[in-house]
Structure formats: structure tokens, C-alpha cells
Amino acid sequence: LLLCSTSVIEESFGYLDAPVERIAGADVPMPYAANLERLAVPQVEDIVRAAKRACHRSVPMAAAA
């Protein structure tokens, strides 16, 4: 996956409207308890939040027309 995002950045940077963002798990050992495991692993809400950050950027006036 990292290789894919790297090639997108290198080959298509001029076409991107927002920077590529990495969504990863917490930098902790994987917990055994299920409730703590959910906190350590990326969840759907994390992905949605990152997508909204990328999509809700201001659009220049010329591009909006």
C-alpha cells in the first residue's frame, strides 16, 4: 500500500487536490482486549474523517465555475 501511495505522489502530484494522507494504527503493541484493540486499529470513522479532510478544502473561484 505504501508503494502505491508513493507512486501516486511521484507520478501524479500535480493533479492532486489534497496531499496523500496515511491512515495507520496507533504506535502501540497490539492489545489483547477487544475494546483496546479497536482503539489501536484504524476504524471506519478514521477513514471517513481523513476523506472529509481531503474533500472539504476550499476551491479557487476559477475552478468552481
Side-chain angles (χ1 to χ4, degrees), residues 29-45:
M30 184 57 73
Y32 180 74
N35 61 335
L36 296 176
E37 184 178 337
R38 280 192 295 276
L39 294 173
V41 177
Q43 299 296 310
V44 172
E45 296 82 20

Side-chain angles (χ1 to χ4, degrees), residues 22-62:
R22 181 180 299 155
I23 303 167
D27 190 19
V28 296
M30 184 57 73
Y32 180 74
N35 61 335
L36 296 176
E37 184 178 337
R38 280 192 295 276
L39 294 173
V41 177
Q43 299 296 310
V44 172
E45 296 82 20
D46 300 323
I47 298 168
V48 169
R49 193 176 313 114
K52 285 183 178 181
R53 275 196 302 271
C55 294
H56 291 126
R57 297 186 182 273
S58 60
V59 178
M61 238 6 184

